[in-house]
Amino acid sequence: MIAELSTSFGVSGYEEETTQIIKSTLTELNINHYCDKMGNIIASEYKDSNRPTILVSCGIDEKGLIVTDITENGYLKFDTIGDIDVKSLISKRVKSKEINGIISLKAIHLLSKEERERKVKIDDLSIDIGAIDKKDAKKYVTEGDYFTFDVKYDTLGTSQIKGKALRRAVSVNVLLNTIKNKKFKDVNVIYVFAVQNEIAARGIKTYLNTMQKIDMAVVLDCVEANKENKTSLNKGPIIALSNNDTAISKSIIEDINGYDIRHQTAYVSDITAAEVFRGVKSDIPLITIGIPISQKQTPINNICINDVDNTERLLNRIAEEAKKSC
Amino acid sequence: MKLSESNSKFNTGDLLKELTAIDGISSDEKNIADKLMPYLDSVCDTVDKDTHGNLIGYINSKNDNAKTIILEAHMDRIGLMVTKICTDGRLKFTNIGGVDERILPLSEVTVLGKKHINGIIVPDDSNDASNNNKMESMQIETGLTEDEVKKSVKVGDYILINSEYTKLCNNIVSGGAFDNRAGIVSILKAVNQIDRNKLKYNIIILFSVQEELGLYGAYLAGKTIDADAAIVVDVTHGETNDTKDNTGVFPLGCGAVICRGPNLHYAYTKQLIDASEKNNIPYRIEVASGSSGTNAWALQTSSDGIPSMLISIPLRYMHTNVETLKIDDIDATANLLAVAAEGGVDI
């Protein structure tokens, strides 16, 4: 499932292929769901109005490229969708729904000394699809077309997985497994598979704007494991702390710290969905879980399998305790 | 002279894909040599492998007292090498040949240890974000512990930069080690389409080692091979969107690029150009005022001298894992080699 979610084409603003995978899985699981106007998939298990209602969300989109211009000689100029480290793009293979391409930068032999030392900028790069000229390129691509990275999903060594779009692949996988195993037994639960998580979490924002009353929310995402926030791979999910945590959030986090599930805690700023949530629903207890990821802002990411398993266990435990927490 | 495609046993793209799937990093060319051996056996009268690993195949002309011409391409490819196994199971590495370090971050690799292991090149956490990444500040993530790595890998093991043969449009393809497996394909195609009855010269096919380190294989082979001329096949730079200010770049699809200059035999080179014209083989002319940067530089002054010619195939993004070329240019080069061997060049 993670493999399928990783390799599906689902760049922010054009998530259809990933959406289809999620929808068909929900249908197989016989879970009520619908797509809202923004494209978010909302699945719900409503029991009765006496029980508390929990919202659980994650993003389903991925970073990618969008064609901004086609040059007279048939190359595609592009912009990044979501934050991408430009240096990591050089010579990577990319694909649109129609055609393969590679990120073009002239051979190092052809650079002047000055050019060699200068940092590569996005303007230096273009996509080479093998077109003869603009007219030829127009047969396959048009301005505004999306490209994703052509990266195979696989295991890496004994402990990790590697691939593109792992951020959504593992988050969605954890959520679908939680639904499948019916972990939220005693509460009403709304699952939001949100589009445009990479673009300032605009998908979840529109959902929250119109949402009915809820009692608690869990936001699931990935967090770059690094020295800066003293987190690393293989040490379990990261409970993201915030200066804006409410007293109830803090007490739930305290409970979580008592669970016998390997995890880390850190103040992290890169889960935009959590910030958006606090902006719209500041009074609702919010738990933010980040699966540690390496190289989040590049075409290929790696994640520790144990961390994904422990995230699922942690979410399941939160589900079991949910009625008490609210 | 007929140069029909149907004479050839090979589909150019399929053979290129097959050959570029093999490692063969400079000085460890065994696997690519093993791959090429049957291809040489099928067309040559005899095939030798010298101590250094050079493959040398002989095709004899039916003419008595025929002169001998070498068709040469190097079979090695650039790569990396393990310099240190770190306590977290990551690897430090250095380059073998002129690797473009700008492409390394987030490239996938295969460490060619006792057991092959996969890895991803990651920039160091503390790396300065304002500059391009330097090789010294990169590591290979293996997903293994130090102990697990040490079971399969030793310092000094070679590392293949992974590539994937990918079709773009207009018969243009992209992948790794097209430099110079494309040259090898053109020679194999040429000798398979030559009419043996018309073969004017004895042919020596030389698939050399260690070109990327400094033309070493060709220097060594040149000492022992007796020949009257050599045609070296290699790659040259292809035109891209950002090469407007560069000279010596050639548009993909322009055909065989024939090099002129003191490194190359003046009269034979002129004949190559004439032969292209006469046989409607698309070509361009490249110039080198000194070294051509190819094995022609080594062969020209080997033993008592081997008059050399150079034909290059235009290639974008040289020394990356997405080298890009147009199949038609390999075919044009093969056709020109066949014409030359059948007597199109008078040596």
Side-chain angles (χ1 to χ4, degrees):
Chain A
M1 188 74 195
I2 297 180
E4 199 185 352
L5 288 164
S6 164
T7 51
S8 66
F9 196 118
V11 179
S12 316
Y14 185 47
E15 296 94 345
E16 275 78 350
E17 209 176 293
T18 311
T19 302
Q20 281 310 319
I21 294 171
I22 299 168
K23 280 165 70 178
S24 64
T25 307
L26 291 170
T27 304
E28 277 168 36
L29 294 173
N30 207 16
I31 302 290
N32 282 330
H33 62 276
Y34 68 96
C35 273
D36 68 10
K37 281 189 276 185
M38 187 73 183
N40 302 310
I41 307 165
I42 321 294
S44 57
E45 290 176 295
Y46 192 81
K47 284 136 193 136
D48 62 62
S49 56
N50 296 326
R51 299 165 192 256
T53 302
I54 315 274
L55 179 139
V56 187
S57 85
C58 74
I60 66 165
D61 53 322
E62 66 179 300
K63 299 176 197 297
L65 309 174
I66 186 167
V67 178
T68 54
D69 193 16
I70 301 171
T71 66
E72 289 305 319
N73 51 359
Y75 289 79
L76 319 179
K77 300 306 286 183
F78 63 90
D79 208 344
T80 57
I81 291 182
D83 291 331
I84 299 178
D85 177 5
V86 171
K87 288 177 296 179
S88 71
L89 293 176
I90 306 164
S91 91
K92 297 300 182 288
R93 291 183 301 119
V94 294
K95 58 184 181 186
S96 72
K97 293 291 267 187
E98 310 292 330
I99 194 156
N100 295 320
I102 57 174
I103 310 269
S104 165
L105 180 64
K106 68 180 169 183
I108 192 153
H109 318 69
L110 300 173
L111 297 179
S112 65
K113 187 166 179 289
E114 183 196 349
E115 281 177 307
R116 278 186 199 216
E117 281 164 11
R118 189 169 60 77
K119 185 182 169 188
V120 174
K121 293 197 279 292
I122 194 162
D123 291 343
D124 300 327
L125 304 173
S126 50
I127 298 171
D128 181 352
I129 57 168
I132 297 159
D133 55 22
K134 188 169 187 167
K135 192 177 162 213
D136 186 37
K138 280 284 209 179
K139 287 185 218 161
Y140 311 99
V141 68
T142 186
E143 294 87 342
D145 278 1
Y146 291 80
F147 276 75
T148 183
F149 302 106
D150 193 358
V151 176
K152 287 200 177 102
Y153 171 85
D154 208 343
T155 54
L156 182 66
T158 49
S159 62
Q160 296 188 10
I161 53 174
K162 65 96 184 169
K164 79 167 175 80
L166 289 191
R167 182 179 180 181
R168 68 119 178 280
V170 295
S171 306
V172 170
N173 185 62
V174 166
L175 227 61
L176 288 174
N177 277 343
T178 304
I179 295 173
K180 185 178 163 189
N181 298 325
K182 301 208 174 298
K183 288 293 172 179
F184 284 89
K185 282 197 293 277
D186 303 324
V187 292
N188 301 319
V189 53
I190 302 166
Y191 302 95
V192 181
F193 295 90
V195 294
Q196 302 206 21
N197 190 40
E198 303 277 0
I199 310 292
R202 290 170 64 78
I204 189 71
K205 184 170 195 298
T206 54
Y207 181 76
L208 296 175
N209 285 342
T210 57
M211 189 183 63
Q212 303 302 311
K213 182 188 167 299
I214 58 164
D215 301 285
M216 180 181 149
V218 179
V219 166
L220 182 63
D221 204 335
C222 287
V223 167
E224 182 80 33
N226 59 30
K227 287 171 191 159
E228 205 177 309
N229 58 26
K230 296 194 176 70
T231 55
S232 61
L233 298 187
N234 207 16
K235 287 193 174 163
I238 299 162
I239 306 294
L241 307 175
S242 161
N243 292 327
N244 299 321
D245 280 332
T246 62
I248 303 173
S249 295
K250 281 179 185 160
S251 88
I252 299 172
I253 291 167
E254 202 143 297
D255 290 345
I256 290 172
N257 287 336
Y259 300 164
D260 182 23
I261 296 170
R262 186 166 207 200
H263 69 278
Q264 320 172 58
T265 51
Y267 283 89
V268 294
S269 55
D270 57 349
I271 301 186
T272 317
E275 299 307 321
V276 166
F277 202 101
R278 288 192 190 92
V280 183
K281 303 273 175 193
S282 60
D283 52 332
I284 293 169
L286 172 69
I287 303 302
T288 310
I289 306 172
I291 301 167
I293 189 169
S294 173
Q295 311 301 328
K296 183 169 161 179
Q297 297 194 347
T298 67
I300 178 165
N301 332 119
N302 45 315
I303 281 182
C304 210
I305 302 158
N306 284 340
D307 291 334
V308 182
D309 293 344
N310 279 322
T311 303
E312 199 173 314
R313 289 178 61 215
L314 182 64
L315 185 61
N316 292 345
R317 185 67 189 271
I318 291 171
E320 282 158 15
E321 306 279 340
K323 199 171 178 185
K324 261 187 274 171
S325 303
C326 294
Chain B
M1 201 172 308
K2 272 186 190 157
L3 291 169
S4 159
E5 275 292 302
S6 60
N7 286 347
S8 175
K9 279 201 265 183
F10 306 121
N11 173 284
T12 309
D14 291 348
L15 183 57
L16 183 64
K17 182 178 181 181
E18 198 179 319
L19 296 186
T20 53
I22 310 294
D23 52 48
I25 293 168
S26 308
S27 82
D28 178 25
E29 293 91 351
K30 184 182 180 301
N31 288 342
I32 185 65
D34 288 351
K35 182 80 189 176
L36 291 170
M37 198 55 125
Y39 285 100
L40 286 178
D41 276 336
S42 72
V43 289
C44 294
D45 296 300
T46 52
V47 183
D48 286 343
K49 188 174 178 181
D50 73 12
T51 12
H52 312 290
N54 291 306
L55 285 182
I56 306 162
Y58 298 87
I59 304 174
N60 301 322
S61 163
K62 290 179 178 170
N63 296 344
D64 293 337
N65 305 318
K67 290 187 172 179
T68 299
I69 187 166
I70 298 172
L71 304 182
E72 192 276 348
H74 72 83
M75 60 180 168
D76 60 316
R77 69 193 289 172
I78 56 171
L80 305 169
M81 178 168 74
V82 179
T83 56
K84 187 183 174 187
I85 300 166
C86 304
T87 52
D88 57 2
R90 288 183 172 193
L91 306 172
K92 299 289 285 180
F93 60 92
T94 189
N95 60 305
I96 296 176
V99 174
D100 181 350
E101 62 187 352
R102 300 172 306 168
I103 70 144
L104 292 179
L106 288 308
S107 284
E108 297 190 56
V109 297
T110 307
V111 185
L112 306 173
K114 194 163 67 183
K115 192 174 149 235
H116 289 189
I117 63 172
N118 297 321
I120 300 170
I121 299 178
V122 293
D124 195 312
D125 256 8
S126 55
N127 191 51
D128 178 6
S130 64
N131 279 310
N132 294 330
N133 300 103
K134 293 273 175 242
M135 204 179 300
E136 303 83 68
S137 68
M138 300 180 209
Q139 296 181 320
I140 296 170
E141 174 63 68
T142 60
L144 297 169
T145 63
E146 184 186 11
D147 286 346
E148 286 171 327
V149 170
K150 282 184 169 169
K151 276 180 198 152
S152 312
V153 176
K154 285 191 164 52
V155 167
D157 282 346
Y158 287 4
I159 303 165
L160 182 72
I161 303 168
N162 293 357
S163 56
E164 186 90 20
Y165 186 87
T166 306
K167 286 180 181 170
L168 307 181
C169 51
N170 295 312
N171 218 18
I172 290 173
V173 295
S174 173
F178 287 4
D179 173 6
N180 188 23
R181 308 280 159 90
I184 288 181
V185 172
S186 73
I187 291 174
L188 288 175
K189 280 210 85 164
V191 293
N192 273 283
Q193 71 192 45
I194 288 169
D195 182 343
R196 289 302 183 92
N197 295 315
K198 286 186 188 167
L199 184 59
K200 186 174 174 189
Y201 307 118
N202 300 315
I203 292 177
I204 296 178
I205 299 174
L206 171 58
F207 292 154
S208 63
V209 296
Q210 300 188 28
E211 190 269 353
E212 299 289 359
L213 305 179
L215 322 179
Y216 299 153
Y219 274 118
L220 293 162
K223 286 183 181 177
T224 56
I225 299 175
D226 192 20
D228 301 289
I231 303 179
V232 169
V233 185
D234 209 327
V235 293
T236 189
H237 290 290
E239 200 173 271
T240 49
N241 192 33
D242 47 4
T243 55
K244 291 178 195 76
D245 299 332
N246 294 94
T247 53
V249 292
F250 299 87
L252 300 194
C254 71
V257 178
I258 301 168
C259 189
R260 300 184 71 195
N263 185 187
L264 296 319
H265 192 277
Y266 190 88
Y268 296 170
T269 299
K270 288 274 273 192
Q271 290 182 44
L272 260 189
I273 294 166
D274 291 344
S276 305
E277 295 271 0
K278 198 174 148 197
N279 292 280
N280 291 320
I281 298 168
Y283 75 97
R284 288 285 178 98
I285 295 172
E286 177 179 35
V287 298
S289 59
S291 170
S292 60
T294 69
N295 276 336
W297 187 249
L299 292 179
Q300 185 186 25
T301 54
S302 286
S303 56
D304 63 339
I306 304 173
S308 297
M309 291 159 268
L310 172 61
I311 306 175
S312 298
I313 299 159
L315 178 84
R316 292 173 182 163
Y317 323 120
M318 196 185 290
H319 288 190
T320 71
N321 55 343
V322 291
E323 293 182 331
T324 299
L325 58 72
K326 190 169 167 87
I327 295 290
D328 312 51
D329 294 329
I330 299 180
D331 291 337
T333 301
N335 291 344
L336 182 52
L337 289 170
V339 164
E342 287 175 353
V345 173
D346 190 21
I347 58 175

